Amino acid sequence: MTAQDNAVYIHTMERLLPIVQELSASRDLPTVMDIVRHSVRDLIGSDGATFVLRDDDFCYYAEEDAITPLWKGNRFPMTDCISGWVMLHRTPAIIEDIYTDSRIPLEVYKKTFVKSLAMVPIKTNEPIGAIGSYWGQIHNTTFEEVKVLQVLADTAAIAMDNIRHQDIIAVKAKQLEAAIDSTMFAVAKMVEQKDLYTSGHQRRVAHIALTIARELGWDEKRCEAVFRAGIVHDIGKIGIPSELLAKPAKLTACELALVKTHPEAGYEILKEVPLLLPMAKIILQHHERLDGSGYPCGLQAPDIFPEAMILAVADVFESMISHRPYRPALGVDAAISELTANKGLLYDEKTVDALVRLVDEKGYQLPL
Ligand SMILES: [Fe+2]
C-alpha cells in the first residue's frame, strides 16, 4: 500500500466510525438499509449499491442506490444470482469483469450498467442477506474496499439482530400487559362483588381518568397506566366489612377511619408484584388532596403524583354523580361545582379544567 493509499484508507476508516455507531443504534430495518446503501457508495465511490435479504430460497433485492435502476423489489432464486452465491458459500464475491465470470447470470446483467462488482454476506455463519457494490467501469476492488463492505455488513447484522430481539420483547410485553389487564379486571370484579353499591365505580373512574389524561395531552402509555390504576384503585376495600361499605347511613368516626385504610391496604396488596409497584404508589395517593387534608399521608401538591391527582378528580366526580347507600346521586352540576370551587385548593387545577372542558364543551359521554 502506498503512502497515499494508506492516507485514503485511514480517512475512510475515520468516516466509517460514525456510520457504524449510527447503524448500531438503528431501531428499524428501513433505517439500516438506508444507511448501508448510502454509505457503500459514499465510502467506496461505487456507482451502485444494493441491500439484499434472504427470503427462503430467494434473494430479495430490498433496497438500492445506483446511477440507474438495478433490481429493487425483485426476487431471484438463490441459485441464479450472485448474492445467492455469496450467501450459499458464506464468502464475498469479488468480480472484476462480470462478462468473464461464470457465476454471473449475464442475461440479467446485460441490461444494467454493471461491469464490476463486489458483494459480501450479512452474517458470515448463517447469511441472512448480502450487501453489493457495483461499478460501471472495470474496477479492481481492493482488499480495503472489501473490508469496508464487510464492516458495514457485520454491523448491519448486529443491528438486525437487535431489531429482531426488540420486536420479540415488544410482543412479549404486549402479552404480559394483556395478562395483567385481565387479572386486574378479575380483581376489580372481586372487590365490586363485595361492595355492590360501588359496582362499576372503578371501571367508570378508570374511564373518566383515561379521558382526562388524554385531554391533558399525556402520551398513550401514561394514559393507559392511569386507566389500569383506576380499574383497581379501591382494591383495598376488599379488607373492609361489606356491611360498612353498604351502610345506608353516615359512618361513625371509627367506621370512617376503617374505610380510610383502603388506599394503604390496596398499596400493600399490589406492591408485592414488582411490575405493579408504580400502580400501587398511585393508588396509595388517590385520596390525597393538594392542601394536605387528604389521606392516608396528608401529602401536599408537589408530592402527589399527577396520576393520583387525576384519579382523585375522576373518583370524586364519579362518586357524586352516582347513587350511594347513604344518599341519592347528586348530579353532574353539583359534582362540577364541587370540583371547580376547590380547584387549586384540593384538586389539581388543570385536571379539573380538563374534566370541565370534556363535560361542558366536548360532549363527554359518561360510561355506564
Ligand atoms: Fe377510594
Side-chain angles (χ1 to χ4, degrees):
M1 194 188 280
T2 64
Q4 194 187 353
D5 288 345
N6 199 31
V8 170
Y9 179 62
I10 290 171
H11 180 59
T12 305
M13 285 299 150
E14 282 170 355
R15 289 169 62 208
L16 185 58
L17 189 62
I19 293 168
V20 164
Q21 287 168 337
E22 192 187 355
L23 205 47
S24 310
S26 302
R27 292 289 169 262
D28 56 78
L29 186 57
T31 306
V32 170
M33 295 195 295
D34 196 52
I35 295 171
V36 168
R37 74 192 172 105
H38 284 120
S39 306
V40 169
R41 286 192 70 186
D42 284 353
L43 294 172
I44 299 181
S46 58
D47 300 316
T50 54
F51 195 106
V52 184
L53 291 169
R54 180 166 188 172
D55 182 8
D56 290 330
D57 291 334
F58 288 85
C59 300
Y60 172 52
Y61 282 70
E63 194 49 275
E64 75 180 20
D65 182 15
I67 49 170
T68 52
L70 287 167
W71 305 285
K72 184 176 174 179
N74 287 332
R75 277 179 171 75
F76 301 102
M78 289 284 280
T79 46
D80 287 359
C81 65
I82 195 67
S83 55
W85 185 92
V86 162
M87 285 188 253
L88 291 170
H89 290 81
R90 300 172 186 176
T91 190
I94 315 297
I95 302 177
E96 188 173 345
D97 181 355
I98 61 158
Y99 290 91
T100 61
D101 195 296
S102 60
R103 291 170 293 179
I104 291 290
L106 271 181
E107 284 313 307
V108 179
Y109 274 80
K110 270 181 189 169
K111 302 165 196 160
T112 71
F113 66 87
V114 180
K115 297 282 188 301
S116 299
L117 69 81
M119 191 160 263
V120 297
I122 300 173
K123 263 197 184 179
T124 322
N125 309 347
E126 210 174 312
I128 54 172
I131 291 174
S133 189
Y134 304 84
W135 287 267
Q137 302 297 326
I138 292 294
H139 177 82
N140 182 12
T141 306
T142 64
F143 170 74
E144 286 74 25
E145 286 168 343
V146 176
K147 209 166 169 183
V148 168
L149 279 179
Q150 197 62 65
V151 168
L152 287 172
D154 291 348
T155 314
I158 294 167
M160 288 162 78
D161 268 352
N162 289 343
I163 291 164
R164 193 169 55 84
H165 290 139
Q166 280 158 10
D167 289 348
I168 292 170
I169 290 169
V171 169
K172 295 275 175 211
K174 274 262 168 258
Q175 289 170 344
L176 189 58
E177 270 180 9
I180 290 173
D181 280 352
S182 5
T183 311
M184 293 292 105
F185 277 110
V187 168
K189 272 213 163 128
M190 270 163 53
V191 184
E192 292 185 1
Q193 282 200 345
K194 186 171 180 188
D195 177 17
L196 288 179
Y197 282 99
T198 59
S199 175
H201 165 70
Q202 296 185 109
R203 184 175 44 78
R204 287 191 296 272
V205 166
H207 190 280
I208 296 165
L210 171 71
T211 314
I212 293 174
R214 285 181 176 154
E215 174 66 17
L216 288 170
W218 286 16
D219 70 68
E220 196 52 25
K221 274 264 165 240
R222 208 171 168 203
C223 293
E224 284 170 13
V226 171
F227 178 80
R228 289 197 179 97
I231 286 292
V232 286
H233 73 276
D234 276 341
I235 185 180
K237 285 186 177 171
I238 203 148
I240 295 170
S242 305
E243 318 76 84
L244 218 62
L245 296 172
K247 187 177 171 183
K250 213 172 170 213
L251 298 178
T252 65
C254 213
E255 289 166 339
L256 192 60
L258 188 58
V259 171
K260 283 184 171 182
T261 61
H262 78 272
E264 275 172 304
Y267 171 76
E268 291 298 323
I269 294 167
L270 294 175
K271 76 164 194 193
E272 297 304 325
V273 186
L275 264 177
L276 301 183
L277 186 58
M279 183 194 287
K281 288 178 178 172
I282 295 168
I283 287 168
L284 178 64
Q285 297 185 355
H286 79 274
H287 282 287
E288 298 289 358
R289 298 292 180 256
L290 293 189
D291 63 354
S293 63
Y295 61 91
C297 301
L299 297 178
Q300 290 193 335
D303 298 325
I304 306 173
F305 296 124
E307 287 86 347
M309 292 191 208
I310 291 184
L311 273 192
V313 167
D315 190 21
V316 168
F317 183 67
E318 203 286 332
S319 299
M320 287 187 72
I321 62 174
S322 301
H323 176 78
R324 285 285 177 271
Y326 50 87
R327 59 144 174 85
L330 299 171
V332 171
D333 290 346
I336 291 290
S337 292
E338 153 67 16
L339 290 166
T340 309
N342 290 297
K343 73 176 182 182
L345 301 169
L346 303 180
Y347 314 110
D348 178 63
E349 192 165 350
K350 283 184 181 163
T351 305
V352 173
D353 288 345
L355 178 63
V356 171
R357 261 196 320 277
L358 286 163
V359 174
D360 286 352
E361 299 167 24
K362 301 196 172 177
Y364 174 56
Q365 291 295 311
L366 298 168
L368 296 173

